[in-house]
């Protein structure tokens, strides 16, 4: 049993659980218990030992009846401001997706829209066991922050930042590099380390095709100054690499250019990172860049990312859902399932031979937990169940038809678990969902308000969705 010495105040014991710790020893307690004091895990061990030592000081004792207890999942690439746009850009190429659907949508958003969109997205994230997310970049960070604080989630929030490029909406086209940097500094001062420390503010680069060299350099230097992270879409499509080769005069593409200008750092979260070669994988590995793999979104619009090769080279790869218009499902449970299958399939595509062990379930579970924490630069506090870390936890009911019987508990979590198996979620020592009920916001009211706001927003943006069939 492990303990951290700290003053007892509001102590909760959770016991009789299968605890998958995701710690450095990959320990799983078949009959485990943990002690939570305020927002932190005080001790972890076998249930009888935990009860014997701590039951006298516990305010609450919870028997999980052999349900599973996991660290909260960490979604390292999600556009919460795009939730109201679910379904507006299905089955179109990326540039049409950006220029004719998403940018008109985002540029017409109000702060209230971002607030409602993040509330709606957050509800779905919580239902799938997410306790922390890295915002991929959107409008009105203050609206996002308000929603995150109310939901009780943990987040790295990022503004969508662009200062150049074709196809930008008029309201964005005149943004200078200085304005982009200054606005992010102000957001950092206003929101960083707020909501009981659950909110951090990062810097954002939407993509290289919408960034001047000055914006890239200033973002890199400002992130160093503020000691925070940078979130950037990197090497999404072949066209992006071609544009970089044509305009920036490098041999391959985005990663090669970012290496050239010393942009690749340990605090960079590179999203997607699909179109990279072996040399660029080496650049990412040596620089300590973190990669967010979004399997559903990638297979829909981008292609096969060389995830096995990245992991083999020592790159920290985590999982993300991307936004609702490019995935439609904000479920990390789904992403774990897809990540393993897609990357097994990629090996057949790339090498002409099957490799069922290409991305085993224990690695996928690491990607959703401790690797996610490392990607979010938060692994000192979250990502695993250990004494001294924050109490960010997920309760999984395995006694449903989707997971019975369990012969291999780890593979069952990746291959069998569904969002419906997630029953309770704790973040920062507080329950934010219990018995499938979201506790801090009225789910039905959010859904109603979001439906109304999304319709009004599409009208303002002038976006109409063509009928696919003969709708009468």
């Amino acid at each position: 049993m492990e303990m951290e010495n700290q003053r007892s105040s509001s102590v909760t014991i959770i016991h009789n659980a299968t605890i998958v710790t995701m710690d450095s020893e990959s320990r799983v307690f078949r009959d485990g218990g943990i002690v939570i004091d305020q927002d932190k895990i005080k001790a972890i061990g076998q249930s009888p030992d935990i009860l014997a030592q701590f039951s006298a000081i516990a305010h609450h004792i919870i028997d999980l009846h052999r349900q599973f207890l996991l660290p909260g999942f960490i979604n390292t690439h999600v556009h919460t401001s795009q939730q109201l746009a679910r379904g507006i850009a299905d089955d179109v190429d990326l540039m049409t997706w950006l220029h004719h659907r998403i940018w008109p949508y985002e540029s017409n958003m109000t702060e209230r829209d971002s607030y409602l969109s993040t509330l709606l997205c957050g509800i779905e994230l919580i239902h799938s066991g997410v306790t922390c997310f890295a915002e991929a970049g959107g409008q009105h960070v203050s609206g996002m922050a308000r929603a995150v604080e109310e939901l009780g989630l943990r987040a790295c929030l990022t503004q969508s930042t662009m200062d150049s490029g074709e196809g930008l909406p008029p309201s964005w086209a005149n943004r200078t590099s200085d304005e982009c940097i200054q606005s992010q500094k102000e957001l950092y001062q206003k929101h960083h380390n707020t909501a009981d420390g659950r909110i951090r503010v990062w810097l954002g680069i939407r993509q290289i095709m919408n960034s001047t060299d000055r914006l890239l350099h200033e973002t890199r230097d400002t992130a160093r100054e503020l000691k925070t992270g940078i979130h950037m879409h990197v090497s999404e499509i072949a066209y992006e690499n071609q544009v970089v080769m044509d305009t920036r005069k490098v041999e391959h593409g985005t990663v090669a250019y970012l290496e050239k200008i010393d942009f690749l750092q340990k605090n960079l979260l590179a999203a997607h990172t699909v179109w990279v070669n072996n040399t660029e994988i080496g650049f990412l590995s040596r620089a300590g860049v973190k990669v967010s793999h979004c399997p559903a979104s990638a297979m829909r619009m981008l292609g096969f990312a060389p995830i096995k090769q990245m992991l083999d080279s020592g790159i920290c790869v985590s999982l993300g859902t991307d936004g609702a218009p490019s995935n439609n499902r904000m479920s990390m449970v789904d992403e774990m399932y897809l990540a393993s299958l897609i990357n097994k399939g990629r090996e057949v595509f790339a090498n002409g031979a099957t490799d069922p062990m290409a991305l085993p379930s224990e690695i996928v579970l690491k990607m959703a937990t401790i690797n996610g924490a490392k990607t979010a630069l938060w692994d000192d506090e979250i990502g695993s169940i250990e004494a001294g870390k924050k109490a960010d936890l997920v309760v999984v009911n395995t006694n449903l038809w989707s997971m019975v019987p369990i012969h291999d508990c780890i593979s069952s979590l990746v291959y069998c678990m569904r969002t419906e198996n997630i029953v309770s979620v704790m973040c920062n020592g507080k329950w934010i969902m219990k018995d499938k009920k979201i506790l801090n916001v009225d789910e039905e009211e959010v859904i109603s308000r979001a439906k109304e706001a999304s319709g009004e927003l599409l009208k303002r943006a002038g976006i109409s969705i063509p009928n696919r069939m003969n709708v009468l």
Side-chain angles (χ1 to χ4, degrees):
M1 182 171 60
E2 294 178 355
M3 288 183 54
E4 184 200 50
N5 293 322
Q6 68 180 76
R7 178 181 55 85
S8 294
S9 52
S10 178
V11 176
T12 297
I13 292 175
I14 301 176
H15 71 105
N16 194 19
T18 297
I19 302 179
V20 182
T21 67
M22 302 310 298
D23 67 9
S24 59
E25 298 175 40
S26 300
R27 293 180 303 168
V28 177
F29 292 88
R30 292 184 182 275
D31 180 13
I34 67 168
V35 181
I36 299 164
D37 190 345
Q38 294 191 65
D39 61 346
K40 286 186 177 181
I41 298 167
K42 183 182 180 74
I44 178 172
Q46 302 292 348
S47 280
D49 298 333
I50 289 289
L51 289 169
Q53 186 160 356
F54 293 99
S55 58
I57 64 168
H59 295 76
H60 307 282
I61 299 179
I62 300 170
D63 186 339
L64 282 192
H65 302 288
R66 296 303 172 96
Q67 294 182 107
F68 279 42
L69 191 67
L70 277 68
F73 299 137
I74 300 163
N75 185 339
T76 58
H77 186 72
V78 54
H79 294 268
T80 61
S81 288
Q82 291 180 0
Q83 196 76 1
L84 300 183
R86 184 175 359 225
I88 73 167
D90 294 336
D91 302 331
V92 298
D93 67 87
L94 181 60
M95 301 315 290
T96 300
W97 186 94
L98 274 176
H99 292 178
H100 302 293
R101 303 289 175 86
I102 302 308
W103 286 354
Y105 160 87
E106 283 192 16
S107 63
N108 280 278
M109 293 190 86
T110 64
E111 186 169 316
R112 179 178 180 272
D113 291 329
S114 283
Y115 164 68
L116 288 173
S117 187
T118 302
L119 280 181
L120 185 64
C121 185
I123 287 170
E124 188 168 359
L125 294 178
I126 293 168
H127 274 293
S128 76
V130 169
T131 54
C132 178
F133 69 86
E135 168 63 45
Q139 312 309 312
H140 305 293
V141 170
S142 291
M144 298 178 201
R146 179 183 163 200
V148 169
E149 183 163 14
E150 290 181 13
L151 288 160
L153 282 166
R154 192 182 301 279
C156 302
L157 298 180
T158 308
Q159 176 182 276
S160 175
T161 308
M162 298 177 277
D163 70 344
S164 63
E166 298 180 0
L168 292 178
S171 60
W172 295 353
N174 296 322
R175 287 180 181 172
T176 66
S177 305
D178 288 341
E179 289 170 343
C180 288
I181 296 297
Q182 184 58 33
S183 65
Q184 293 181 97
K185 284 184 175 181
E186 290 170 1
L187 288 168
Y188 182 92
Q189 294 299 325
K190 184 177 182 181
H191 297 295
H192 186 74
N193 208 31
T194 59
D196 298 321
R198 288 184 284 107
I199 292 176
R200 294 181 177 179
V201 174
W202 283 29
L203 300 186
I205 295 286
R206 189 66 172 246
Q207 60 173 344
I208 197 168
M209 293 185 291
N210 296 108
S211 304
T212 62
D213 281 357
R214 184 177 179 195
L215 180 60
L216 291 169
H217 286 113
E218 290 285 326
T219 299
R220 177 198 64 197
D221 295 345
T222 302
R224 284 175 181 164
E225 172 193 332
L226 298 178
K227 295 181 172 60
T228 194
I230 301 171
H231 200 140
M232 179 179 181
H233 297 75
V234 173
S235 300
E236 291 186 90
I237 54 175
Y239 172 73
E240 173 190 327
N241 279 343
Q242 189 60 54
V243 169
V244 173
M245 286 189 287
D246 292 343
T247 59
R248 259 107 169 181
K249 308 305 178 187
V250 288
E251 289 187 3
H252 188 257
T254 301
V255 172
Y257 185 71
L258 295 179
E259 162 71 12
K260 181 179 178 180
I261 65 170
D262 194 31
F263 193 86
L264 301 180
Q265 307 283 334
K266 291 181 180 179
N267 66 339
L268 175 61
L269 193 170
H272 300 304
T273 321
V274 174
W275 294 85
V276 289
N277 61 21
N278 289 333
T279 299
E280 291 175 311
I281 289 173
F283 291 155
L284 294 169
S285 177
R286 285 192 292 276
V289 172
K290 318 301 190 296
V291 170
S292 179
H293 174 42
C294 305
S297 174
M299 288 312 300
R300 183 168 166 179
M301 293 193 296
L302 310 177
F304 284 115
I307 298 303
K308 184 177 185 299
Q309 288 76 7
M310 291 186 196
L311 288 166
D312 289 346
S313 75
I315 294 173
C316 177
V317 183
S318 54
L319 289 176
T321 58
D322 211 349
S326 55
N327 181 351
N328 302 73
R329 301 183 185 190
M330 301 295 98
S331 172
M332 283 289 285
V333 175
D334 290 352
E335 296 305 313
M336 283 197 290
Y337 179 68
L338 288 172
S340 182
L341 297 187
I342 285 171
N343 287 286
K344 287 173 171 56
R346 183 190 184 279
E347 292 304 296
V348 180
F349 174 76
N351 302 319
T354 59
D355 183 1
M357 296 181 290
L359 205 60
S361 52
E362 64 270 23
I363 299 300
V364 175
L365 201 56
K366 283 185 65 175
M367 292 165 71
T369 54
I370 190 61
N371 280 16
K374 292 175 181 177
T375 300
L377 308 178
W378 222 325
D379 55 300
D380 60 327
E381 291 190 320
I382 62 174
S384 59
I385 300 177
E386 299 182 66
K389 284 199 171 185
K390 296 287 188 178
D392 288 12
L393 306 168
V394 174
V395 179
V396 179
N397 180 4
T398 59
N399 294 315
L400 300 177
W401 59 266
S402 55
M403 293 189 73
V404 174
I406 291 181
H407 298 297
D408 180 328
C409 64
I410 302 303
S411 70
S412 291
L413 289 169
V414 172
Y415 297 124
C416 304
M417 181 169 60
R418 305 187 186 208
T419 295
E420 295 91 325
N421 293 102
I422 307 289
V423 290
S424 298
V425 177
M426 174 183 284
C427 183
N428 218 39
K430 297 179 180 178
W431 295 110
I432 58 176
M433 183 174 78
K434 207 162 188 181
D435 298 324
K436 298 191 178 182
K437 178 177 174 54
I438 301 288
L439 298 181
N440 296 334
V441 300
D442 186 325
E443 191 170 339
E444 289 186 6
E445 181 185 352
V446 171
I447 290 170
S448 176
R449 292 165 65 193
K451 286 166 68 175
E452 180 181 359
S454 66
E456 294 172 355
L457 176 52
L458 259 61
K459 286 180 184 177
R460 289 200 305 274
I463 298 171
S464 59
I465 311 303
N467 291 327
R468 295 177 183 272
M469 294 188 179
N470 184 24
V471 179
L472 303 176

